[in-house]
Amino acid sequence: MNLPSRHDDIPGCFSAEVIVAAPASVVWDRLVSLHCMREWLGGSDFSIEVETTWEEESAIVIRGVHHQRFENRGTVLAFRPWEMLSFTHLSSLSGLADLPCNYTTLSFALEDAGSQTILRFVAAGFPTESIYKHLQFYWLGTLDVFKQYVEDA
């Protein structure tokens, strides 16, 4: 998938897919449970707290410490149980102003495949090349962590 970018030298999006050996209902519960998110988003590497009601148009805040304190803010765009989760993301570590053009959209789509679930992830809209590279590095690894987290439960 290659969407136009805000900047010619930065890809517009990246995507990844993992097959999780668990039904969609279990994958969904682990994806959106605030307690579970603290575990798979940060693991033993850093401490995470997540605040949201998951109502569309409501805020999502992810705070933590990883070498230094950070706070990621965004808005829930879609919350369709067992199907789709999407929210925007801007990290305090970016040093960017809180403007719509500085947010990245993170989306998770679930496809029920019986005893397995296909989880598709898309990140789109990057204000800088370093944010693109960081999010790609983080999320490609974190999707594997999430898969293992669900399957080991």
Side-chain angles (χ1 to χ4, degrees), residues 57-91:
E57 304 297 322
S58 70
I60 179 169
V61 180
I62 302 170
R63 290 184 186 90
V65 177
H66 183 61
H67 304 296
Q68 60 185 357
R69 292 194 181 284
F70 65 88
E71 182 173 285
N72 301 337
R73 296 190 156 277
T75 301
V76 177
L77 302 175
F79 185 87
R80 295 194 306 270
W82 307 286
E83 293 178 24
M84 167 69 81
L85 172 66
S86 182
F87 56 91
T88 59
H89 168 275
L90 174 65
S91 177

Side-chain angles (χ1 to χ4, degrees), residues 8-80:
D8 290 338
D9 56 338
I10 305 171
C13 72
F14 68 86
S15 61
E17 177 179 298
V18 293
I19 297 173
V20 184
S25 61
V26 172
V27 173
W28 179 261
D29 289 342
R30 300 298 191 285
L31 183 65
V32 301
S33 160
L34 301 185
H35 172 74
C36 292
M37 287 180 78
R38 288 195 312 254
E39 295 182 20
W40 63 264
L41 275 174
S44 59
D45 290 346
F46 51 100
S47 139
I48 297 278
E49 291 297 325
V50 182
E51 295 175 11
T52 187
T53 63
W54 290 124
E55 292 179 32
E56 291 184 6
E57 304 297 322
S58 70
I60 179 169
V61 180
I62 302 170
R63 290 184 186 90
V65 177
H66 183 61
H67 304 296
Q68 60 185 357
R69 292 194 181 284
F70 65 88
E71 182 173 285
N72 301 337
R73 296 190 156 277
T75 301
V76 177
L77 302 175
F79 185 87
R80 295 194 306 270

